[in-house]
Every structure is written in C-alpha cells, then in structure tokens.
C-alpha cells in the first residue's frame, strides 16, 4: 500500500517515467504538451495509454495509414463506435491531439 502511494506520488511529481505516459521530447512545445494531456483524458481509455489500442484501434503508426486531414475527420465526426469530438473539443484542441498521436505515439 505504501509502495503504491510512493509510486503515485513519484508519478505525479514527474520523478519517474510512469508506464502509460508516452514521453515527450524535452523540447516539446505547448501544443504537443496540450495534445498529450487531451490524449490522456479523452482517448487513452479506448486507444490505450500509449496508443497501442484497446477498444479503439492502435494509433501508434496512424501517420502511415491516414493523412492528417483523414485522421482529423475521424476525430471530428467519429466513425463506428469512435465518438465524435466536434463540439466537445475545440479546433485547436483537435489539432493538438492529432499532432500528438502522429508525432509521439
Ligand atoms: C469510446 C472509445 C473511444 C474513444 C474515447 C476514442 N476513440 Fe478513437 N476509435 C475508437 C474506435 C472503436 C475506433 C475504430 C472505429 C471504426 O470502427 O472504424 C476508433 C478509431 C480512431 C481513429 C482511426 C484509426 C484508424 O486506424 O483508422 C482515430 C484517428 C482515432 N480513433 C482517434 C481518437 C482520438 C484522437 C481520440 C481522443 C480525442 C479518440 N480516438 C477517442 C474508439 C474510441
């Protein structure tokens, strides 16, 4: 129990790279950081914390399969059980999370 607490505290403080949070490069700009936060909050539950898939498909090599515009369209309008994020996330937030999944996952 104490051990778990220590891990949680260390993760929160960013002292250790916790499994499940893909690492951002040290020079990550604000948009990438925002994208990573949105991914964790809105997408990771279905696509997995590192984008390797789950209920949703893996997004790890998404940039090889979809163009930026195609990928954005899936996020905006949804597809099948993938929810639509139009009106849920702003355009800027969608840009940020799409960029994060293409560049980091
Ligand atoms: C409720 C679960 C769920 C959530 C939350 C979710 N997705 Fe999905 N996503 C899916 C499913 C399921 C699919 C496959 C859709 C299909 O049937 O074609 C999918 C597909 C996708 C695809 C297309 C993948 C491909 O290979 O064509 C992208 C891109 C995507 N999701 C991005 C996101 C992003 C970005 C978020 C967060 C803003 C997100 N998803 C949140 C379930 C989810």
């Amino acid at each position: 129990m104490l051990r778990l607490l220590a891990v949680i505290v260390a993760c929160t403080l960013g002292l250790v790279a916790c499994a499940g949070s893909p690492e951002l490069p040290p020079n990550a700009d604000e948009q990438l950081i925002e994208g990573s936060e949105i991914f964790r909050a809105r997408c990771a539950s279905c696509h997995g914390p590192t984008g390797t898939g789950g209920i949703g498909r893996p997004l790890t090599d998404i940039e090889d399969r979809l163009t930026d515009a195609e990928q954005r369209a899936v996020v905006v309008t949804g597809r099948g059980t993938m929810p639509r994020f139009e009106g849920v996330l702003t355009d800027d937030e969608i840009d940020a999370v799409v960029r994060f999944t293409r560049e980091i996952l």
Side-chain angles (χ1 to χ4, degrees):
M1 186 60 202
L2 264 181
R3 217 181 120 85
L4 181 65
L5 198 66
V7 169
I8 293 168
V9 170
C11 288
T12 312
L13 297 176
L15 296 177
V16 292
C18 298
S21 341
E23 276 201 47
L24 290 174
N27 62 344
D29 59 22
E30 266 178 45
Q31 190 187 38
L32 269 187
I33 295 167
E34 185 189 12
S36 108
E37 285 164 2
I38 295 166
F39 183 81
R40 200 169 42 212
R42 303 278 191 169
C43 322
S45 56
C46 289
H47 289 283
T50 54
T52 50
I55 299 167
R57 297 194 189 173
L59 297 179
T60 38
D61 56 353
I62 193 72
E63 65 277 14
D64 300 332
R65 288 183 286 119
L66 298 182
T67 64
D68 195 83
E70 287 166 343
Q71 190 185 340
R72 210 174 183 289
V74 176
V75 179
V76 170
T77 59
R79 203 178 68 198
T81 37
M82 161 80 192
R84 67 186 294 145
F85 282 91
E86 187 174 32
V88 177
L89 297 175
T90 64
D91 280 355
D92 287 349
E93 288 170 336
I94 292 173
D95 287 343
V97 76
V98 166
R99 183 177 161 217
F100 170 79
T101 58
R102 295 178 80 82
E103 289 185 20
I104 305 296
L105 295 183

